[in-house]
Amino acid sequence: ELTGLFEGRIVLVGTSAAGLLDIRTTALGENVPGVSIHAQVIEQILLGEFLTRSDFIEGVELLIFMLLGGLILWVMSASGPVLSILVASAVGLLVTGASWFLFQERGILLDVTLPLFGGIVFFSAMTAFQYFVADREKKLIRKSFSHYVAPEVLQEIENSGHQIKLGGELRPIAVMFCDIRNFTALSETMEPTKLVSLLNNLFNVLSKEILRQKGTIDKFIGDSIMAFWNAPLDIDDYPRKACLAALSMREALKDFNASLEPRPEKDIGLAIGISMGTACVGNVGSFERFDYSAIGDTVNRASRIEASCRHVGYDILVSEDVANAVEGFAFLEAGNLLMKGISEKQRTFILVGDKSLKESPEFQALFLEHRRMVIRLQAGQTHDFLQEDSYHQLIRFIDPELMSFMKHLPARIEDFK
C-alpha cells in the first residue's frame, strides 16, 4: 500500500519541533522547518519556476532610486512638501505595483526597498533644508519688508525669492513725501507720551492707505512719511496708485481729526509731494544693519515738492510728469517752482480730486476759469478772481481748501512766467 503512495515521488523526512533545532527564518521573516525549505526548492526545480534577479534589475533599482529622489527634490523646491508627498506617494505605489506584477507574472525580483527608503531620506533631507535654510531666508525677507509693504506684495516677494543684500538697482518709481502740518503747535499742548501715541495712531491710519495702494513705506522721519511705488516689485500703473493713496490719506485724515477728543484748536493737516522718475532702489546701510530705500534726483524732487505745498497753499502737489502720466484725476496748474538744490524750475500741479470730480460740470467750469487766470499771470497781470461770485461759489462747492491756493496766486506771478 505504501509503495503506491511514494512511487515516483520525492519524499523528505524532517522535524518541526523547536527543540530539535531545525527551525529556520526565511527572507520573509517567517520561522519554518528546514525540511519545508528544501521541499520548496525542489518544487521550483521540478516546475522550472525560478525568481530571477540580474545585474540589469539592480541597475533599474538604482535608477528608480535616483529618479524618485530627483523628483522629490524638484517638486519640493518648486511647490513645497504637500505636493511632493502626493507625487512621491503616487510614484511609490506605481513602483510597488510594478514590482508585484513582475514577481507574480514574470518571476522577476525587483526590490523596491531601496527606492522607497531613498525617497523617505530625500524628503526628510529636503524638509530639513527648507526649514533651516529656505524658511530662514523667507523669515528674513518677511522681517525686512513686513512693516513696509502690503501683505499681497510681501507674498509676491517671498514667492520670487527676492534677495536681501546690500546694493541697489535702477528702477522707475513714484515717490511720495508726506509731512504732518500743525503738529508742532499741537506738541506744545500735549504730554510727550500722549503725543507719541497720537503720532503712532496717525501714522497707522496714513500707512494703511499707502499699503492699500501697494506702496512701499521707506521710512518715518520725525512727523513725515516717505513712500514709493514700483519697487521692490513691478506695480501696474504705479503713478496712479500714488495719487489714489494721496487722496485716500486726505480723506482718512478728516476722519482722524473728527475722532480726536478733545478736539484741538486747529486740525492736523498734511502736505504731500509726489514725483516720478528713475532712482536707485535697494538695501542701504552697513553689513549688519540696513534699510530698503530709494536714492536719487527723483527722491529729492519729491521732498522739495512736498516742502513747496506751503508756498502754493495746497495739501497735495505733484510734478508735471506725474500729472501727465495719469488720467482721470482733477489737476490744476500750480506754476513753475524754483526748488532748493534743483537748478531748473519744476512745473507743478495740485491734485484736487478723482475722476468723478474731474468729470463734474463744476470742476470743468473751474478748470476754464483757472486757465484764464494762469494766462493772465503768465502775461504779468494780476486780478482778484475771488471777488467774482461765480468763481467763489465754484471753489466753495468743490473744495474750500482751494481758497488758500487761489489767495496765493496773485502774489506768485514769477512762478507762472
Side-chain angles (χ1 to χ4, degrees):
E1 293 182 7
L2 293 178
T3 301
L5 293 175
F6 294 106
E7 185 177 0
R9 292 176 170 82
I10 299 174
V11 179
L12 301 179
V13 179
T15 61
S16 60
L20 297 177
L21 305 178
D22 193 25
I23 301 298
R24 309 297 175 180
T25 303
T26 67
L28 299 178
E30 298 177 345
N31 295 322
V32 299
V35 67
S36 177
I37 297 175
H38 287 95
Q40 293 179 28
V41 170
I42 295 172
E43 180 187 28
Q44 291 186 30
I45 294 173
L46 294 177
L47 296 176
E49 297 178 354
F50 304 100
L51 280 177
T52 58
R53 179 175 171 79
S54 63
D55 294 338
F56 175 77
I57 295 299
E58 293 183 0
V60 170
E61 293 173 358
L62 184 60
L63 180 62
I64 295 174
F65 169 80
M66 296 173 63
L67 291 177
L68 183 58
L71 181 64
I72 290 175
L73 292 178
W74 176 71
V75 174
M76 197 165 184
S77 60
S79 305
V82 176
L83 183 60
S84 63
I85 290 177
L86 296 177
V87 172
S89 299
V91 174
L93 290 174
L94 180 63
V95 172
T96 303
S99 174
W100 174 255
F101 174 79
L102 292 175
F103 172 80
Q104 191 76 12
E105 301 296 331
R106 298 289 187 269
I108 298 174
L109 180 60
L110 176 65
D111 188 2
V112 296
T113 305
L114 177 63
L116 296 182
F117 177 76
I120 295 173
V121 171
F122 275 113
F123 178 80
S124 301
M126 196 63 185
T127 301
F129 172 80
Q130 285 198 334
Y131 179 80
F132 291 108
V133 179
D135 286 354
R136 183 182 62 185
E137 292 180 356
K138 282 190 176 183
K139 289 178 182 178
L140 179 59
I141 293 173
R142 178 169 289 276
K143 182 179 179 181
S144 300
F145 286 100
S146 59
H147 299 291
Y148 307 106
V149 299
E152 58 269 24
V153 177
L154 178 59
Q155 185 65 44
E156 292 181 38
I157 294 173
E158 289 180 340
N159 294 338
S160 64
H162 189 84
Q163 295 298 313
I164 304 297
K165 60 183 179 181
L166 287 179
E169 60 177 337
L170 292 176
R171 294 182 66 94
I173 61 172
V175 184
M176 171 194 287
F177 275 85
C178 172
D179 184 55
I180 300 174
R181 295 292 167 87
N182 306 327
F183 189 76
T184 303
L186 185 63
S187 65
E188 296 174 354
T189 64
M190 296 184 65
E191 298 178 3
T193 54
K194 293 183 178 180
L195 185 66
V196 171
S197 177
L198 175 67
L199 186 61
N200 288 338
N201 290 334
L202 179 55
F203 278 157
N204 181 59
V205 169
L206 299 178
S207 298
K208 284 182 178 179
E209 302 306 323
I210 294 174
L211 297 178
R212 196 189 310 276
Q213 296 300 329
K214 296 188 177 182
T216 300
I217 298 176
D218 186 312
K219 59 177 70 71
F220 299 95
I221 315 166
D223 57 357
S224 302
I225 304 174
M226 174 184 169
F228 50 82
W229 281 257
N230 204 42
L233 297 177
D234 294 332
I235 304 296
D236 293 336
D237 205 6
Y238 59 91
R240 179 176 178 273
K241 287 182 170 56
C243 292
L244 287 174
L247 294 175
S248 298
M249 292 165 71
R250 173 194 284 168
E251 295 302 316
L253 181 64
K254 292 179 182 179
D255 296 335
F256 183 82
N257 281 324
S259 67
L260 293 179
E261 291 292 343
R263 190 77 177 264
E265 295 183 4
K266 196 170 184 180
D267 284 344
I268 297 174
L270 292 180
I272 299 176
I274 304 174
S275 73
M276 62 178 291
T278 302
C280 182
V281 185
N283 295 298
V284 180
S286 67
F287 289 102
E288 289 77 24
R289 184 176 180 83
F290 52 80
D291 291 318
Y292 190 78
S293 185
I295 297 175
D297 179 64
T298 302
V299 178
N300 296 335
R301 282 194 298 121
S303 176
R304 299 295 182 262
I305 290 173
E306 176 269 308
S308 300
C309 287
R310 191 183 298 277
H311 175 68
V312 302
Y314 203 67
D315 61 341
I316 304 178
L317 190 64
V318 306
S319 62
E320 180 181 14
D321 44 10
V322 172
N324 291 335
V326 299
E327 296 180 355
F329 287 92
F331 290 108
L332 292 178
E333 189 170 352
N336 306 313
L337 307 182
L338 185 62
M339 302 177 182
K340 182 179 179 181
I342 301 177
S343 57
E344 298 181 356
K345 283 188 174 183
Q346 302 293 308
R347 192 179 183 199
T348 59
F349 294 78
I350 61 170
L351 175 56
V352 184
D354 57 12
K355 183 178 181 180
S356 61
L357 178 62
K358 179 184 178 181
E359 295 177 349
S360 66
E362 293 80 10
F363 181 80
Q364 294 294 328
L366 176 64
F367 182 83
L368 295 176
E369 291 289 344
H370 178 71
R371 185 60 194 158
R372 186 160 60 94
M373 176 186 285
V374 169
I375 292 174
R376 286 199 175 195
L377 292 173
Q378 290 172 341
Q381 302 174 12
T382 59
H383 177 70
D384 190 359
F385 282 81
L386 294 179
Q387 292 180 355
E388 301 179 11
D389 289 341
S390 60
Y391 197 55
H392 198 213
Q393 290 176 3
L394 284 174
I395 293 173
R396 293 182 63 85
F397 178 81
I398 294 172
D399 181 7
E401 298 300 324
L402 279 170
M403 195 71 69
S404 174
F405 171 71
M406 297 302 177
K407 287 181 179 179
H408 281 72
L409 287 178
R412 296 177 52 224
I413 294 179
E414 291 299 321
D415 292 342
F416 290 87
K417 286 185 176 179

